[in-house]
Amino acid sequence: MKILILGSGQVGATVAQNLAELPHHDVTVIDNNPEALRSISSKLDVQTLAGNGSSPAVMAEGGAYDTDLLLALTRNDESNLVACKLAATLFNIPNRIARVRASEYLEYRGEQAEEDSPSALEVFEVTESICPEQLVTERLIGLLNHPSALQVLKFADDKVRMLVLRAQKGGLLLDKPIHAIHEHLPADVDCQICAIYRNNKLIVPTAQTVILQGDEVFVAAATEHVPAVLRELRPLQQPTRRVMIAGGGNIGYRLAKQLESQFDIKIIEADEKRAEWLAEQLDNTLVLQSSATDESLLSGEYIDEIDVFCALTNDDETNIMSGMLAKSLGAKRVIAIVNRSSYVDLLQGNTIDIVVSPHLVTIGSILAHIRRGDVVAVHPLRGGSTEAVEVVVHGNTDTSKLVGRRIESIRWPSGCHVAAVVRGDEVFMGHKDIVLADGDHVILFVSRRRVVRELEKLIQVKMGFFG
């Protein structure tokens, strides 16, 4: 697949790195920053071109005429939208994904518009849009609603969730084999422990595997059964009530707006004008105009009574320092956004409880559009070294390597483990005797990203399916 990436910022560079690691991808990166391009070309096997990515002449020079996919990932919405329009009209690029930050582009249709009138994105012929701020906001909402989890991933229209947990003293399953989990769960509740990381080493669990304190456990369950499963691995925790947000940018505002009716929220914003705007837009949120690293402010606002402190500014260092300060002053749980991927594993689980990488969240959404076969969702895990993947199987016993076959009889690529199968409204948790049917959603834990190509081949339908 020939891919044209516009923008070599944090998002563009991270996407380029992930795509360059996969076989059969010819990647070209366009940016008007030669220094950033030199950095990318020195590390990755990709082509680079200096210039304005929304210029038709530059796009043509970058190979737009025979490109399969355009990823417009610059920091400027307008440049991304114009590039998608040019890609469709002048170069006939079939797939056009744009990074769009402004909500009006995503939602606005006009007061006089008919129901079937095109949206702003349709006018610019964007086939798919990626809004990193909204993706990160959704991830944060999941974490706030599950106080015990390090990550919360949704699959099959939220019929299944995969959670990453740290096994702690007080959990019912601690120091017991995995098969003992069914002694405590109700008869109609099931789950699948997909993987365990102990001292950063993967353990592929069996029924006899014993869970130890500190283990990082990846567990999948039907969404309605998640609370019961959580009790097995973590001691009961008080639900989140008080939330303090550092940073009133796009993510901080979106999070407060969506949750202010559910939680008691305070938001700290350093910029005076932005703080005034936030106060006008938010109904039940207390807006404080100050620095998130102001110790006297945090103490005066009873930081020791805060359930979750979210450091969501645009600056990694501010997020790290304010998160560490809040924790030292008594905040029960700290979540911080950190853009540098190399910091994520270094920081998480120490003073800062959870580190969210916007680029890893974004790359998952993009990879779901790029992967061959019917891939619905891709969630990078553990710094991108592993993935949780949702695929839909199609065809019949003649056209598919999966349909009509029991899970245990399928030769899955090494490192691929079935977590759940969703068929309509039914959820089957890793039952090896399940026979896959056309339309089934299969959720997999992939511990080795280099086998992704093998997985793509396995789920592809033979040509006879289309005849």
Side-chain angles (χ1 to χ4, degrees):
M1 178 185 289
K2 186 165 184 179
I3 302 171
L4 195 60
I5 299 176
L6 309 184
S8 64
Q10 292 265 5
V11 173
T14 306
V15 170
Q17 178 182 349
N18 277 265
L19 296 179
E21 293 172 354
L22 299 174
H24 312 299
H25 284 141
D26 180 4
V27 179
T28 299
V29 181
I30 298 177
D31 196 284
N32 54 16
N33 185 338
E35 186 176 334
L37 292 177
R38 278 194 295 271
S39 176
I40 287 177
S41 61
S42 67
K43 301 173 184 176
L44 306 176
D45 182 19
V46 300
Q47 302 294 319
T48 60
L49 176 62
N52 179 2
S54 57
S55 161
V58 174
M59 290 176 69
E61 187 180 351
Y65 281 109
D66 59 351
T67 289
D68 302 299
L69 170 65
L70 173 75
L71 294 171
L73 304 177
T74 75
R75 295 177 181 273
N76 185 277
D77 287 355
E78 289 71 24
S79 295
N80 294 337
L81 295 173
V82 168
C84 285
K85 181 65 175 178
L86 293 174
T89 306
L90 296 183
F91 304 111
N92 198 30
I93 297 176
N95 299 296
R96 304 166 299 277
I97 299 177
R99 176 188 182 186
V100 181
R101 303 175 68 186
S103 58
E104 51 263 36
Y105 286 125
L106 300 171
E107 303 163 0
Y108 185 76
R109 286 183 178 270
E111 296 179 2
Q112 307 299 322
E114 303 286 338
E115 281 190 14
D116 58 350
S117 297
S119 65
L121 296 182
E122 290 169 335
V123 169
F124 286 99
E125 301 199 51
V126 176
T127 53
E128 296 288 345
S129 64
I130 303 292
C131 180
E133 287 85 355
Q134 185 56 34
L135 293 172
V136 172
T137 302
E138 291 170 0
R139 180 66 58 87
L140 292 169
I141 290 172
L143 292 169
L144 290 173
N145 285 323
H146 293 86
S148 301
L150 299 174
Q151 279 188 278
V152 181
L153 310 175
K154 299 178 181 180
F155 299 96
D157 295 324
D158 202 18
K159 294 184 180 72
V160 171
R161 291 186 182 179
M162 182 181 292
L163 290 89
V164 184
L165 308 164
R166 185 83 63 190
Q168 287 190 352
K169 187 176 181 180
L172 299 177
L173 197 59
L174 198 68
D175 298 325
K176 296 178 182 177
I178 287 175
H179 67 76
I181 195 170
H182 298 289
E183 297 175 6
H184 304 285
L185 293 175
D188 61 338
V189 174
D190 199 0
C191 69
Q192 176 76 7
I193 295 181
C194 314
I196 296 172
Y197 279 85
R198 184 174 297 160
N199 299 321
N200 287 322
K201 292 183 179 179
L202 172 66
I203 297 174
V204 179
T206 66
Q208 285 69 44
T209 301
V210 175
I211 294 179
L212 304 180
Q213 184 171 340
D215 282 356
E216 191 174 322
V217 183
F218 293 70
V219 58
T223 298
E224 65 267 28
H225 297 158
V226 164
V229 173
L230 285 178
R231 287 194 292 271
E232 294 294 306
L233 298 164
R234 296 284 298 253
L236 288 174
Q237 293 186 335
Q238 292 295 322
T240 300
R241 290 191 300 131
R242 300 182 183 90
V243 177
M244 181 176 284
I245 299 172
N250 288 336
I251 295 174
Y253 166 68
R254 287 172 183 265
L255 185 65
K257 189 69 174 177
Q258 293 187 46
L259 294 181
E260 63 178 349
S261 61
Q262 183 178 348
F263 301 126
D264 178 8
I265 296 179
K266 298 177 181 179
I267 187 167
I268 304 172
E269 170 55 44
D271 183 80
E272 184 177 355
K273 290 185 178 179
R274 180 68 177 181
E276 291 175 356
W277 183 88
L278 290 169
E280 293 173 356
Q281 300 298 317
L282 297 169
D283 299 319
N284 299 309
T285 297
L286 176 62
V287 180
L288 305 167
Q289 194 265 307
S290 184
S291 168
T293 57
D294 184 338
E295 182 176 350
S296 60
L297 172 78
L298 295 178
S299 298
E301 293 298 329
Y302 305 102
I303 187 67
D304 57 328
E305 296 181 2
I306 293 296
D307 296 310
V308 184
F309 180 88
C310 299
L312 311 180
T313 76
N314 293 321
D315 182 75
D316 282 357
E317 283 69 28
T318 299
N319 291 340
I320 293 168
M321 294 307 296
S322 64
M324 295 175 68
L325 180 60
K327 190 74 170 185
S328 70
L329 293 174
K332 297 179 180 63
R333 192 162 171 245
V334 173
I335 301 173
I337 284 180
V338 176
N339 288 290
R340 293 191 186 181
S341 301
S342 59
Y343 284 4
V344 174
D345 292 331
L346 183 66
L347 293 167
Q348 182 159 288
N350 297 307
T351 305
I352 297 175
D353 298 286
I354 300 175
V355 178
V356 176
S357 168
H359 309 311
L360 289 177
V361 174
T362 303
I363 186 64
S365 183
I366 293 173
L367 287 175
H369 298 297
I370 295 172
R371 294 283 167 80
R372 297 177 185 274
D374 208 339
V375 179
V376 179
V378 178
H379 295 286
L381 301 165
R382 293 189 61 82
S385 61
T386 63
E387 293 180 349
V389 181
E390 177 186 350
V391 303
V392 181
V393 298
H394 287 302
N396 53 43
T397 53
D398 296 323
T399 60
S400 170
K401 298 176 183 176
L402 300 178
V403 173
R405 292 166 174 80
R406 289 196 311 275
I407 286 177
E408 62 182 354
S409 69
I410 297 170
R411 291 190 60 184
W412 299 99
S414 176
C416 290
H417 310 280
V418 176
V421 176
V422 179
R423 181 176 300 159
D425 291 327
E426 289 187 280
V427 177
F428 306 95
M429 301 308 308
H431 294 221
K432 294 184 178 181
D433 58 346
I434 289 292
V435 176
L436 294 179
D438 178 58
D440 281 356
H441 288 243
V442 182
I443 293 98
L444 302 117
F445 177 84
V446 182
S447 62
R448 299 162 63 238
R449 290 188 69 245
R450 61 179 176 271
V451 305
V452 163
R453 181 58 183 154
E454 297 175 45
L455 181 61
E456 290 176 351
K457 290 181 179 178
L458 186 64
I459 64 177
Q460 283 178 350
V461 182
K462 298 177 183 177
M463 289 304 294
F465 176 70
F466 301 100

